Amino acid sequence: MHPDIILPSFGLNPAHFSISRTGSGYIHATYKLTGSVSYILQRINKNVFKQPHIIASNIREASTYLKHHHPEYLFLSCIQTIDGKEMAYDDEGFPWRLFPFIENSITIDEVAHADEAFSAATEFARLTNYLDGVSLKLFSPTINQFHDLNWRYQQFEHALKNTTSERMNEAAETVSKCLSYKHLVDQYNKLISLGVLQLRITHNDTKINNILFNAITRKAICVIDLDTLMPGYFIYDLGDMIRTFVSPVNEEEKDLSKVVFRKSIYDALVSAYHEQMDEKLNETEKTLFPFAGMMMTYIMALRMLTDFLEGDVYYQTTYPKQNLIRARNQIRLLDVLMDQSY
Ligand code: GN1
Ligand code: MG
């Protein structure tokens, strides 16, 4: 469906904008509306987010709490429809939402300097820090068991049993690598059963392109993509930052020799995280920084490989085997993370 159709629901006239696709997310369709005032318009993927009203209610709860306790904090909420709703539904039942476009802002797909890592990690960690104290009962999962490694592993096993022999053959090497890292699932299960991880409000999609940067100063302005703002463990956010910050190339890179660990970037992001969250983390949690990176890199490899085995039904792809390429990239990164002394 063309984005023009939905603009009147937000009181906007399509004739006043030039509309182009933007962003590099794998789930939603995102558009920039360029006009005398510009906006970001997004169509939510309702096959992934089956209860989009939960996204809206979690964001509303967080926004209310932050306005009260940290009024200076920039929390990018959406612009309401003319009926005062957070989302407008099109004829096919897809929800759309509108955000202000922040002038001179950019997103990046790779970290170039330690300063960027520090600044971005500060913003992701600050979100959890500032939401410390909000009642978790007010929030619901927008996707159940989203970063539950045990469950993702089970889905992978299910896909192995049900895939085609052709896909199984193509993926054989990556499959056996994924099987060989099963000990990370055992470690995760042990942490959960010991109850050492505290539930907090986490962002749950802290990849580097979910930070808005000032194009000139290269300082982080705010976090974006709050669809998975919900109760979670700090290792999810810290781990996804490690996964997407430390390598100079992102998960789409096919040349695996380029997937390397940049210690200066790791140190910068870790020190930013400590600065925000040290007082809140317990002593066991503080020992889990390296595990966080490995666990989140592994879960993404499993999810990408599972999607490949299932016939590319979840993530957006633009060419055949893209999910397998992504999974291989993430397994290489996991090998690299395992080799570090930290
Ligand atoms: C998806 O939409 P996007 O690209 O920000 C995914 C994340 C993965 C990421 C991998 C709802 O995020 O969990 O980490 O791709 N989001 C969902 O790049 O599945
Ligand atoms: Mg996302």
Side-chain angles (χ1 to χ4, degrees), residues 53-66 68-69 131-142 199-201 229-231:
H53 63 276
I54 298 181
I55 303 179
S57 102
N58 285 350
I59 295 177
R60 205 181 312 128
E61 293 298 345
S63 173
T64 305
Y65 184 88
L66 290 166
H68 186 238
H69 292 87
L131 285 169
D132 187 59
V134 71
S135 168
L136 298 192
K137 289 199 201 105
L138 301 171
F139 295 78
S140 304
T142 57
L199 271 180
R200 305 181 161 87
I201 297 300
L229 186 77
M230 58 184 167

Side-chain angles (χ1 to χ4, degrees), residues 86-100:
E86 281 111 344
M87 295 176 290
Y89 286 79
D90 66 22
D91 292 347
E92 294 166 22
F94 280 97
W96 293 71
R97 60 194 169 175
L98 186 74
F99 296 96

